[in-house]
Amino acid sequence: LMRRIVTSQTYQRASAPTEGNKDDDQNFSHAIPRRVPAEALLDSLVQATGIPEGLPNGFRAAQLPDASVENPFLKLFGKPQRMDACECERDNGSNMLQALHFLNGKSILGRVRNPSARPALLMRAKLSDEELVKELYLWSLARFPTPKELELGLEFLKLGDDRAAGAQDLMWALLNSKDFLLVR
C-alpha cells in the first residue's frame, strides 16, 4: 500500500503550479505548500540544533500524550488542546507573532548560539568550509546544498572574521527558510 501511494502521480505532484492549475486548490493538481505542524516543527528544531526542549519524561513534542504539558512554542504554533478527537482543532495558520518568534525568539537564535549546539559541535570537528556548509544543510534541511547554495554558503562564511558566528548565522538562516518551515 505504501509503495502504491508514494509512486502515485498525485503523491509526486510538484508544489510549483502551472499556468493551467495555479488557481486550483481542491483537485490535487499540484501540492499546496503548508506549514509544518507545531510538534514536528519543534522536534525538527531539537534534532537540527541538538538542543533539547526540556519536555517531561524525555518525550518528543509529537509524543506528548495530552494538553496538560504547557509549552509556549507549541501553543504559539497551533498545537491543539486535544479536547476533541479531530484534527479540526489544530490551527495551521501563520501569523506575525510566529514570524517574529522565528526571526528574533530564543527558539532558534538561542539554540544556534548555545555552546552545545550543532554549529559549535561542527566547529570543534575542525571541518573545512565546504564540509561545514554541507553539514549545516544536512542537519537543517536533511539535504545537501545545491551547487549555488554551496557557493553562497562558502561566501557567507568568509564575510566576517568569526567563523563560528558565521556558522551560527548560516544555520539560523536555514532554519528560517521555506525549506525548513513548509511541507512542499
Side-chain angles (χ1 to χ4, degrees):
L1 177 62
M2 184 64 78
R3 182 186 336 257
R4 179 76 175 208
I5 291 170
V6 298
T7 59
S8 71
Q9 289 182 358
T10 302
Y11 185 84
Q12 296 178 10
R13 299 257 186 233
S15 61
T18 63
E19 187 61 36
N21 68 9
K22 67 180 178 185
D23 296 324
D24 179 18
D25 60 355
Q26 295 180 348
N27 298 314
F28 305 105
S29 61
H30 62 281
I32 298 173
R34 63 189 189 284
R35 187 175 50 78
V36 174
E39 299 90 337
L41 191 57
L42 182 56
D43 287 340
S44 296
L45 278 173
V46 168
Q47 180 71 33
T49 61
I51 303 299
E53 180 62 17
L55 297 173
N57 299 325
F59 280 118
R60 290 181 304 118
Q63 296 174 316
L64 291 173
D66 57 29
S68 65
V69 175
E70 286 293 322
N71 183 287
F73 182 92
L74 293 174
K75 185 175 182 177
L76 176 64
F77 284 89
K79 179 185 177 288
Q81 293 297 310
R82 296 188 179 161
M83 299 303 204
D84 297 326
C86 123
E87 195 63 16
C88 58
E89 191 180 5
R90 180 177 298 279
D91 177 12
N92 277 330
S94 296
N95 61 50
M96 186 61 71
L97 284 176
Q98 293 169 349
L100 290 172
H101 186 77
F102 251 73
L103 291 172
N104 300 319
K106 66 178 179 170
S107 292
I108 293 183
L109 201 53
R111 287 181 195 285
V112 297
R113 288 186 175 167
N114 188 309
S116 302
R118 192 79 54 208
L121 296 175
L122 293 173
M123 290 300 295
R124 283 186 224 129
K126 306 278 190 229
L127 302 174
S128 69
D129 284 354
E130 184 171 329
E131 291 171 325
L132 179 60
V133 171
K134 285 180 180 179
E135 284 293 320
L136 289 171
Y137 265 83
L138 285 171
W139 281 106
S140 301
L141 305 180
R143 67 172 175 81
F144 284 104
T146 64
K148 181 67 176 169
E149 290 169 336
L150 180 60
E151 180 184 331
L152 289 171
L154 291 172
E155 287 177 25
F156 185 79
L157 285 180
K158 293 176 183 164
L159 284 177
D161 297 334
D162 187 357
R163 186 171 182 248
Q168 292 170 355
D169 290 346
L170 180 56
M171 184 172 228
W172 175 86
L174 293 172
L175 295 177
N176 273 287
S177 71
K178 289 180 183 178
D179 286 351
F180 184 78
L181 297 170
L182 299 177
V183 176
R184 306 192 292 157

